[in-house]
Amino acid sequence: METKVGMRIQSAYSKFGGDSAALNNYMTNAVNETQKYTPKADIFKLSLTGSDINSAMDVYRKTAELRKGIADGTIRRLDMQRIAADDFEKRSELSFNLLNGSTHATGRWISRMLKDAGVPEDVAFEFDYNRDTREFVLTEISDERYREDVQSVLAVVARGDGGDSLGLIAYGSRVLNGFTSSVYYSSIGKHLKSCFGQDISELYIDENGNIGGANKNLQEALAAEKNTKNFDAQELYDFPVNQIEKMLKRLITDENITPNISHMVYDGEGFYTNDGDIHLGKEIDPALFEDRGFLAKASFALLIVIKGDYDYWLNNEDLFC
């Protein structure tokens, strides 16, 4: 895992011809700019702006540290200080600043590559990004003469050479705009496949209200959940949801599940998401920071979801409205 992260970081540097200073400068400026998107910064104790992030490497290193800590079990909450799942203010600031910083940084990276490709600054475009497959579809462009050049640039970003920035942004944007169950359907589906060899699309609720279509491995896990004292799905199966049956029933009966696709825009205003009322990369209404539902969603909007987060959302979904 560490090697892969390192390779992604090195790839990001290579886009600047090995000029680490250039990459550091543009990401540092981008992340620092997120301060203006935190209107009530005084209510927060943690910050990823200012002196806490001094370079592009700090952004990627912070993510890498979290991923490593989650993998080896040394981190059980969202950051090094073990912020509680319901501490929405601290978590939301950490999450929202990193997401906005990543959005600004990605926009600057795209701008740099477009310039190198000879695309004029006034060429605007929109695209859909599927964070599950890392595929994109260019839906609109203001000048068709540059379609191929723009697609080439987006292909570099989409395949994750910049640390899977689009995946991070797409995940956050979808959650912030209320598509959490769709995001979790996809994420839980991947865990079902890796832990039990189960395809989530094959599951259903039978006439007795039980989960049907489960393979032997999942059936055994569901039985263990019912019959094991102090059941721990993470310890037993490396599955991130302790309430397996409840979560699966919640997701497979949701008629509002949508494809895990985020709509993104690059125009004269910069690079931003357009999945609903919340646009990562654009200024937001300061009043949102007074809304508990927004803070709850923002606090869970980071791509890095660890033990406890899924269950907390499942048991307190009303807080995220």
Side-chain angles (χ1 to χ4, degrees):
M1 178 175 290
E2 292 182 30
T3 301
K4 291 181 179 179
V5 171
M7 289 174 62
R8 287 173 181 163
I9 293 173
Q10 187 60 42
S11 296
Y13 274 103
S14 69
K15 300 308 169 186
F16 285 81
D19 184 356
S20 61
L23 179 60
N24 284 342
N25 287 337
Y26 97 85
M27 282 201 70
T28 298
N29 292 335
V31 173
N32 285 338
E33 281 184 5
T34 65
Q35 185 68 37
K36 65 184 180 182
Y37 295 107
T38 309
K40 285 204 64 178
D42 58 302
I43 70 173
F44 298 124
K45 302 300 181 183
L46 282 177
S47 178
L48 281 179
T49 58
S51 61
D52 291 329
I53 287 186
N54 296 312
S55 70
M57 287 298 292
D58 287 342
V59 176
Y60 290 121
R61 186 179 294 113
K62 182 69 175 179
T63 303
E65 288 174 352
L66 289 171
R67 287 185 184 279
K68 181 179 183 299
I70 291 164
D72 63 24
T74 58
I75 296 177
R76 290 297 181 181
R77 287 298 173 200
L78 189 60
D79 81 331
M80 298 298 193
Q81 299 187 18
R82 302 186 180 215
I83 304 174
D86 62 352
D87 194 340
F88 294 155
E89 291 185 351
K90 288 182 179 179
R91 285 176 55 123
S92 65
E93 190 229 10
L94 177 69
S95 173
F96 197 74
N97 278 353
L98 181 53
L99 286 169
N100 255 322
S102 296
T103 306
H104 289 303
T106 300
R108 292 177 183 272
W109 181 32
I110 292 174
S111 179
R112 172 68 178 269
M113 288 192 290
L114 289 172
K115 182 178 180 181
D116 291 345
V119 179
E121 294 182 1
D122 61 350
V123 173
F125 53 87
E126 301 182 19
F127 63 100
D128 288 328
Y129 177 74
N130 187 321
R131 69 162 302 273
D132 294 333
T133 64
R134 286 189 174 183
E135 297 175 338
F136 71 92
V137 175
L138 187 61
T139 57
E140 292 185 33
I141 187 168
S142 61
D143 193 329
E144 286 291 339
R145 292 175 298 176
Y146 298 98
R147 174 176 288 272
E148 186 174 340
D149 293 323
V150 169
Q151 288 180 324
S152 295
V153 167
L154 292 179
V156 173
V157 184
R159 70 176 179 242
D161 286 13
D164 193 24
S165 57
L166 288 187
L168 185 80
I169 295 165
Y171 185 103
S173 179
R174 294 272 292 164
V175 171
L176 281 167
N177 284 288
F179 298 101
T180 308
S181 62
S182 293
V183 173
Y184 282 7
Y185 181 93
S186 171
S187 185
I188 295 300
K190 289 181 180 179
H191 286 294
L192 273 179
K193 196 70 173 179
S194 63
C195 296
F196 306 115
Q198 175 70 54
D199 188 334
I200 192 172
S201 67
E202 296 176 351
L203 301 178
Y204 60 91
I205 305 300
D206 64 22
E207 62 274 9
N208 298 315
N210 299 315
I211 295 177
N215 63 19
K216 180 180 179 181
N217 293 333
L218 180 56
Q219 287 177 13
E220 290 177 351
L222 291 171
E225 180 185 348
K226 292 181 178 179
N227 302 317
T228 304
K229 185 178 181 180
N230 299 322
F231 178 75
D232 190 325
Q234 180 112 33
E235 182 178 341
L236 292 174
Y237 307 107
D238 197 29
F239 194 69
V241 180
N242 217 40
Q243 302 170 91
I244 302 176
E245 181 178 15
K246 183 178 179 181
M247 177 62 85
L248 293 181
K249 285 183 175 180
R250 164 67 182 83
L251 295 178
I252 64 179
T253 59
D254 190 335
E255 298 180 353
N256 297 314
I257 297 294
T258 58
N260 222 7
I261 295 174
S262 175
H263 190 68
M264 301 183 177
V265 180
Y266 180 91
D267 61 16
E269 298 182 29
F271 172 65
Y272 57 92
T273 62
N274 190 19
D275 297 319
D277 294 332
I278 310 300
H279 306 279
L280 286 174
K282 296 185 72 173
E283 189 169 359
I284 66 169
D285 183 353
L288 286 172
F289 287 90
E290 303 289 343
D291 183 87
R292 188 169 181 80
F294 170 78
L295 290 179
K297 286 181 285 190
S299 71
F300 279 66
L302 270 183
L303 177 63
I304 305 167
V305 177
I306 60 179
K307 180 181 178 181
D309 279 13
Y310 290 110
D311 287 291
Y312 187 88
W313 171 81
L314 182 63
N315 294 328
N316 302 277
E317 195 173 351
D318 59 313
L319 297 178
F320 294 75
C321 299

